[in-house]
Amino acid sequence: MLEDIRHLPDGSTVEFDLCIVGSGPVGLSLAREFIGSQLRVCVLESGGVELDAPTQSLAAGESQGDRFVSLSRMRRRQFGGLSNAWNVQVEDYAQHGVRHAPFEAIDFEKRDWLVHSGWPFSREHLDPFYQRASDICGIGSLDYSADSWEERLSRRLPFAGSELETTMFKFGPSARFFGDGRMALEGASNITVYLYANVLEIEASHNAGEITGLRVAALSGQRYAVKARRYVLATGAIENARLLLASNRVQKAGLGNGKDLVGRFFMDHPIIRTGFLYPYEQSAFSTHALYDMRYLDKLTVMGRLTFAEEARRRQQLLGFATLLFPRTRRQQSPAHVAVRELRQAMRERRVPTNAARLVADFAGNLDDFVLDYYKHAVRRDHLFPSLSRGGWSSQAGNEKRYDKFELISQTEQSPNPDNRITLSQRRDPLGSNQPKLTVHWAGSDKDSIHRAHGILVRQLAAVGLGRLELENINNSVGLSLHHNMGTTRMHEDPSQGVVDPDGKVHGIANLYIAGGSVFPTGSYANPTLTMIALTLRLADHLKATGAPLTL
């Protein structure tokens, strides 16, 4: 059932067997695993069913280092969490959703060239949970090869050797979480979801060996206590770390932070605008539908270019994937070029030496830019595909309409302890310290991008597709894809991780963490499927170790 916690008397204490903090895709997936069980479960959600500005203001924070998206844009204080903000058009453009893919086997390995890499288990160990997660997300089997999706006019590129290959993204609807999840929990007699319930502090015993309760507040002023036998934080990589750091009355550095690891190793996936591919034959715009976002066999799929494991080992590459989007001639007009160069300069916090000419080029060709913006952002024309919209391959006349593909990539970020969440001196409306993000892209990450781009240039020419002109000659990275990971990393050794392989915080008997914050490394793939797979694994562990602790 869903309840507004503000309807409870001020000062109330509620008690449960299991308390889950956060109702995003991770928290909802975990709670649904206990529907109909003998456990009494509560889910604490900061927001309501609908988004409201006062609650969303609690997601604010500050950042320093390389230019990064606002912290409030990467988080959603609302039932269903960030699934409410997913904007990819899926299921023949009838719904919004998100792209899914599992991490590759190499992503779980300890890689000699990547410091702090290595998971405590293999991809093979996680495969059964990946399949269960796929069922929850509505994306079918674990088959991500191109074999199942090729057709006469949608053949994969015939790459030779062992460098590039074509694999698939699958897309699942966001309503699986804030819609189906809500209906499931509303009908569950043993689960209570408290809306507008903001956790202020995690309270611990005198030696911090056990969690004794949560201090909870509503923006309207009421205060509550929530007690449970076990607790799971499922509020995302930023908030999971912030809550532990802010709960510092017993341990001054924050709960679970005896080794100064909480908040460290923040990772994300940036958008990398790689360049433009000019096909040798115009027929390419009619024969490469595999790389379009298409609705086939009741599932939305899209081909991507990825690097084979052998190439990643030989070239010491981070995970990297590239998508192809056809573009019109106008999208290489002086106005578009000027905007891209000015944006890049802003990301690098510099003034371009040709700034006056760029401004003049933009002003002199403004009509092209405004027309394209209208078609792309206002009319949402399928002829202007993007990360959130496909369908171009079903249109007639593509050979005359397009003259190039734009390549947009996303890459793994190496785990760096200096990329971290700390507590800001700024306070939110509840009086809690806001999070502060420090993030820098390492030179080794940019070197990996450079090597990946070199392979793309060579292989695309070798298969006779076309000439790739790299726009991103400095191997720079763009803004976040909102894939926050790594701030409470998993490791068997308490000196190297915040949680153990089961997700339990080292040294605390009844506190667990779920979601991307436990990832030791982040791959290039969108993390939701892996987050849910780990959550289902945690649910099984909690069920198997259900002996109650004394309240």
Side-chain angles (χ1 to χ4, degrees), residues 83-116:
S83 67
N84 292 278
W86 293 343
N87 65 350
V88 180
Q89 295 183 7
V90 302
E91 296 194 357
D92 209 15
Y93 315 108
Q95 295 194 54
H96 284 162
V98 72
R99 58 177 49 84
H100 293 292
F103 287 7
E104 298 172 359
I106 191 174
D107 295 325
F108 294 87
E109 297 175 4
K110 181 171 178 55
R111 290 165 267 173
D112 293 339
W113 69 90
L114 186 59
V115 181
H116 305 297

Side-chain angles (χ1 to χ4, degrees), residues 178-497:
F178 64 76
D180 296 351
R182 175 183 173 182
M183 291 178 60
L185 296 187
E186 280 183 328
S189 60
N190 67 312
I191 297 179
T192 302
V193 179
Y194 286 115
L195 304 175
Y196 302 104
N198 302 283
V199 177
L200 299 180
E201 183 184 359
I202 306 166
E203 297 182 315
S205 61
H206 70 282
N207 63 354
E210 184 178 336
I211 302 306
T212 58
L214 305 177
R215 289 200 304 118
V216 176
L219 275 173
S220 49
Q222 298 98 315
R223 296 291 189 269
Y224 308 97
V226 177
K227 294 186 178 295
R229 292 184 169 88
R230 289 187 289 186
Y231 304 80
V232 180
L233 301 185
T235 61
I238 295 173
E239 185 67 6
N240 282 347
R242 192 202 69 81
L243 275 173
L244 291 174
L245 294 171
S247 302
N248 54 15
R249 282 199 290 175
V250 176
Q251 292 183 321
K252 297 304 180 184
L255 290 174
N257 199 30
K259 303 298 183 181
D260 190 27
L261 292 172
V262 172
R264 293 189 182 273
F265 299 98
F266 177 89
M267 297 174 290
D268 202 279
H269 297 142
I271 299 172
I272 301 171
R273 296 196 175 277
T274 291
F276 289 96
L277 174 67
Y278 294 87
Y280 296 137
E281 302 289 342
Q282 287 298 103
S283 60
F285 300 109
S286 300
T287 57
H288 291 94
L290 183 68
Y291 301 94
D292 185 18
M293 190 187 308
R294 298 181 301 153
Y295 189 58
L296 298 172
D297 298 331
K298 299 182 179 180
L299 187 64
T300 303
V301 296
M302 184 180 193
R304 59 189 176 182
L305 303 182
T306 54
F307 291 89
E309 287 193 8
E310 180 181 336
R312 288 181 62 181
R313 296 183 198 282
R314 184 174 61 252
Q315 297 283 348
Q316 298 188 352
L317 292 174
L318 295 169
F320 196 90
T322 299
L323 304 177
L324 279 65
F325 300 96
R327 297 295 185 230
T328 65
R329 289 177 174 81
R330 274 198 308 273
Q331 287 178 289
Q332 191 69 343
S333 73
H336 285 278
V337 173
V339 168
R340 285 195 295 272
E341 289 193 31
L342 288 168
R343 281 179 175 172
Q344 190 59 48
M346 289 176 60
R347 293 188 189 108
E348 299 172 359
R349 298 185 178 180
R350 60 177 174 82
V351 177
T353 56
N354 58 344
R357 181 183 63 78
L358 294 176
V359 172
D361 285 347
F362 176 75
N365 297 272
L366 188 58
D367 52 345
D368 277 349
F369 188 84
V370 171
L371 179 60
D372 278 358
Y373 179 82
Y374 167 74
K375 290 182 177 180
H376 176 79
V378 179
R379 200 172 75 185
R380 298 190 177 276
D381 199 322
H382 291 321
L383 307 184
F384 289 81
S386 68
L387 287 168
S388 61
R389 185 167 58 256
W392 58 267
S393 62
S394 64
Q395 306 297 316
N398 285 342
E399 295 89 342
K400 296 180 179 179
R401 179 176 298 110
Y402 300 119
D403 75 328
K404 57 187 167 292
F405 289 98
E406 183 175 12
L407 272 60
I408 298 178
S409 308
Q410 59 191 68
T411 185
E412 179 179 13
Q413 183 176 15
S414 59
N416 180 350
D418 294 330
N419 289 335
R420 63 186 303 194
I421 294 293
T422 55
L423 295 181
S424 169
Q425 295 303 307
R426 299 176 184 174
R427 303 271 179 168
D428 66 22
L430 289 170
S432 300
N433 295 89
Q434 292 181 344
K436 180 178 181 179
L437 170 64
T438 301
V439 62
H440 295 278
W441 279 86
S444 58
D445 293 358
K446 296 180 181 181
D447 288 343
S448 176
I449 295 171
H450 173 72
R451 292 192 295 276
H453 283 167
I455 294 174
L456 285 169
V457 170
R458 183 172 64 254
Q459 286 286 300
L460 290 170
V463 299
L465 180 58
R467 171 177 50 88
L468 175 58
E469 288 189 359
L470 295 175
E471 182 184 54
N472 192 345
I473 59 175
N474 295 321
N475 309 305
S476 58
V477 296
L479 291 182
S480 161
L481 283 172
H482 306 183
H483 300 169
N484 305 157
M485 301 167 284
T487 58
T488 63
R489 69 194 323 256
M490 180 193 306
H491 204 283
E492 304 98 324
D493 184 349
S495 68
Q496 299 188 58

Side-chain angles (χ1 to χ4, degrees), residues 16-18 40 211 227-231 510 548-551:
F16 293 87
D17 296 302
L18 175 65
R40 296 170 299 113
I211 302 306
K227 294 186 178 295
R229 292 184 169 88
R230 289 187 289 186
Y231 304 80
N510 58 342
L549 297 167
T550 302
L551 283 173

